[in-house]
Amino acid sequence: MFDSYGQALEWITKLMPLHGMKPGLERMEALLERLESPHRRLKFIHVAGTNGKGSTCAFLAAALQSAGYEVGTFTSPYLEKYTNRIQVNGEDIPEASVLSIANRIKPLADELEPLHGALSMFELSTAIAIVYFATEAYPDLVVWETGMGGRLDSTNVVAPLVSVITNVGLDHTDVLGETIPDIAREKAGIIKPGVPVVSTAMNEEAAAVVRETAAARKATLYEVGKQFRYETREVQEGRQTFDFEGPFRALPNVAITMDGLHQQANAALALMTLEVLRQYYAIIVDDEDLYAAFARTAWKGRLEMVSREPRILLDGAHNPDGAKTLADTLRSVYTYRKIVFVLGMLRNKNHPEYLRHILPIVDTLIVTEPDFFKKMPAVELAETAAAWRDASGAALSVTAEPDWKAALDRAVREAGPEDLIVVSGSLYFLSDARSRVLNLPNSEKGW
């Protein structure tokens, strides 16, 4: 058993390199049965998708909390500390609760290992969240984000009030499948019989799979562009507005402060989900609270300007769809003389396709390595970028700097006062970079 939070955290986190991601529900189901099924006491809003899950969860949680509901959230990965991923009303799970719940689960995990295999870090985190919400925090609602996929994701042991699907793109192809329909089938696996579904999956192949799955499970589907829609009114850095129209009512001139046209889609998805909660379950958010909540919603690490002098923008784009969205937003929202781009990626990503989207707008690329066991070597990724440059004839400077701290320092030295530094790639890299920029004085950063 563990005597401290540090010991418990070491046990939890060491499971990632040992066991990685382990699709399948049998371990979670067996564990929850031994815990007396605490998940059955909770009301979940289950959110899946390739990109946009975190932002959608943030809009939902902010709106519901503004209406006076106690709201639990389970999101991943974390950007600052492990406890960030399990929150109630924006407050992290106490370290003492992680310790006590880990001590409760450890003997059960040991008992299950010979029968079902070892729990992964994500499965254990999912179980800790469920036990915390069901036996200590007692939130009215839980905004519940999948880790990867949906059908075999450990979060899929719950029966939600509503299933939410953001978008579907190529990511985790080594596990979820190599085509959009394959991946869509995994995401649509969170759809439960008779439970309403809200989706902004705009790729037609993906949307068709969501429709087919919803129809087969007799789940009412609310699909963007069909049952609900949104229309842009204004876009500028730090503020954009849109009109929302759904089957039950319209909401004009909704303002959000997160940048990027994709955030309008995420906000509209959250609005339609709130409308479903209102119509099906009488969970009501007054318009005044709703508008105010959406206007103040933020999500760390997503187009987050963490420094103004020099200008440093963080974004967790780590797959081709994310890269395309980031490139489109950089073109349409921000002003700069040139872009200095710092990139750190994991191995299991579609790097050529990512680079194809982002490199046309980059002037200087500095490739580095996340402090993570599955990191992509900087030299290899730089070679891929240089091959694109040589084939396209672009005037692009490419540098490999494996030390991510040195890479950030180099970007600051190379950027002029009118330039924009963009830090992107793996969220594990972003977490470290964000902490360094926000928490260290410039004298310690080497700037």
Side-chain angles (χ1 to χ4, degrees):
M1 302 296 277
F2 309 113
D3 295 322
S4 67
Y5 167 75
Q7 291 178 357
L9 183 62
E10 183 182 4
W11 172 58
I12 296 165
T13 54
K14 79 176 182 181
L15 296 174
M16 178 174 283
L18 285 175
H19 305 296
M21 297 295 291
K22 300 176 70 173
L25 302 180
E26 65 175 20
R27 289 174 300 278
M28 280 298 299
E29 290 171 343
L31 176 61
L32 291 173
E33 183 178 353
R34 283 163 172 77
L35 289 166
E36 300 180 349
S37 302
H39 55 305
R40 294 180 182 170
R41 306 174 212 167
L42 299 165
K43 296 177 180 177
F44 294 93
I45 301 164
H46 202 181
V47 182
T50 301
N51 296 307
K53 297 189 298 293
S55 299
T56 301
C57 288
F59 283 120
L60 287 168
L64 291 166
Q65 188 179 334
S66 73
Y69 295 99
E70 297 284 316
V71 183
T73 54
F74 179 64
T75 57
S76 61
Y78 57 90
L79 272 182
E80 293 173 345
K81 55 188 295 192
Y82 174 81
T83 52
N84 295 162
R85 68 194 313 161
I86 303 168
Q87 297 184 335
V88 173
N89 290 347
E91 296 294 325
D92 287 6
I93 180 175
E95 293 181 358
S97 294
V98 175
L99 172 60
S100 64
I101 296 170
N103 277 328
R104 183 177 174 188
I105 290 175
K106 179 65 163 66
L108 301 177
D110 291 343
E111 176 188 328
L112 287 168
E113 185 167 350
L115 301 172
H116 302 285
L119 290 167
S120 69
M121 176 187 172
F122 189 73
E123 287 171 327
L124 185 54
S125 299
T126 303
I128 290 171
I130 287 173
V131 173
Y132 175 63
F133 293 142
T135 66
E136 293 189 29
Y138 310 108
D140 300 308
L141 297 156
V142 177
V143 179
W144 192 240
E145 181 188 340
T146 59
M148 181 174 65
R151 181 177 65 93
L152 299 177
D153 188 84
S154 63
T155 62
N156 204 28
V157 292
V158 308
L161 300 179
V162 56
S163 302
V164 182
I165 299 173
T166 59
N167 71 344
V168 178
L170 294 174
D171 197 12
H172 299 294
T173 53
D174 54 329
V175 176
L176 302 181
E178 296 184 356
T179 70
I180 291 292
D182 287 341
I183 295 173
R185 274 185 281 274
E186 295 300 316
K187 307 292 184 185
I190 69 166
I191 298 173
K192 302 297 191 300
V195 175
V197 188
V198 188
S199 173
T200 48
M202 298 184 191
N203 177 285
E204 183 50 39
E205 288 184 303
V209 171
V210 173
R211 282 184 219 117
E212 291 165 8
T213 307
R217 296 176 188 171
K218 295 181 171 54
T220 302
L221 173 63
Y222 298 91
E223 185 178 3
V224 70
K226 295 184 181 295
Q227 289 77 22
F228 72 100
R229 55 188 52 82
Y230 65 97
E231 184 174 346
T232 301
R233 293 181 65 146
E234 172 195 17
V235 176
Q236 58 184 354
E237 184 179 343
R239 177 181 169 83
Q240 50 186 327
T241 58
F242 65 93
D243 295 329
F244 170 86
E245 183 179 347
F248 309 119
R249 62 177 182 149
L251 290 163
N253 201 28
V254 179
I256 59 175
T257 52
M258 287 199 283
D259 287 331
L261 292 176
H262 60 292
Q263 294 296 2
Q264 293 184 34
N266 295 332
L269 179 62
L271 285 174
M272 189 64 244
T273 303
L274 293 167
E275 288 293 283
V276 167
L277 293 171
R278 173 193 289 264
Q279 295 297 324
Y280 285 67
Y281 307 105
I283 296 170
I284 296 172
V285 181
D286 289 340
D287 287 358
E288 182 178 353
D289 294 329
L290 180 66
Y291 277 88
F294 271 56
R296 67 172 177 266
T297 298
W299 190 238
K300 295 173 183 176
R302 273 66 170 188
L303 291 167
E304 181 185 14
M305 192 72 74
V306 291
S307 172
R308 289 286 175 182
E309 293 183 4
R311 285 198 304 160
I312 302 177
L313 183 73
L314 299 185
D315 189 73
H318 58 274
N319 53 46
D321 277 5
K324 182 180 185 305
T325 297
L326 173 57
D328 290 344
T329 304
L330 290 171
R331 287 188 184 98
S332 61
V333 175
Y334 298 93
T335 58
Y336 45 82
R337 185 178 67 92
K338 68 176 186 177
I339 289 179
V340 178
F341 201 93
V342 186
L343 179 65
M345 297 284 275
L346 302 186
R347 275 196 175 277
N348 60 340
K349 299 295 172 183
N350 187 344
H351 304 111
E353 191 68 9
Y354 181 102
L355 294 170
R356 182 179 70 82
H357 288 301
I358 207 73
L359 291 186
I361 64 168
V362 172
D363 300 279
T364 299
L365 176 68
I366 303 171
V367 182
T368 190
E369 297 175 2
D371 186 12
F372 192 69
F373 73 101
K374 291 196 296 185
K375 64 187 178 184
M376 176 72 175
V379 171
E380 291 183 28
L381 190 52
E383 288 173 353
T384 303
W388 177 91
R389 176 196 61 196
D390 296 343
S392 66
L396 171 69
S397 167
V398 180
T399 302
E401 174 47 76
D403 183 330
W404 64 266
K405 296 175 185 176
L408 287 177
D409 293 346
R410 180 170 188 142
V412 172
R413 290 195 304 271
E414 295 200 8
E418 298 177 13
D419 299 337
L420 178 65
I421 299 169
V422 181
V423 180
S424 190
S426 163
L427 291 175
Y428 299 101
F429 167 47
L430 237 65
S431 174
D432 288 336
R434 185 179 187 276
S435 177
R436 182 172 175 80
V437 172
L438 292 178
N439 298 326
L440 282 181
N442 286 352
S443 58
E444 294 184 37
K445 298 171 191 167
W447 298 357

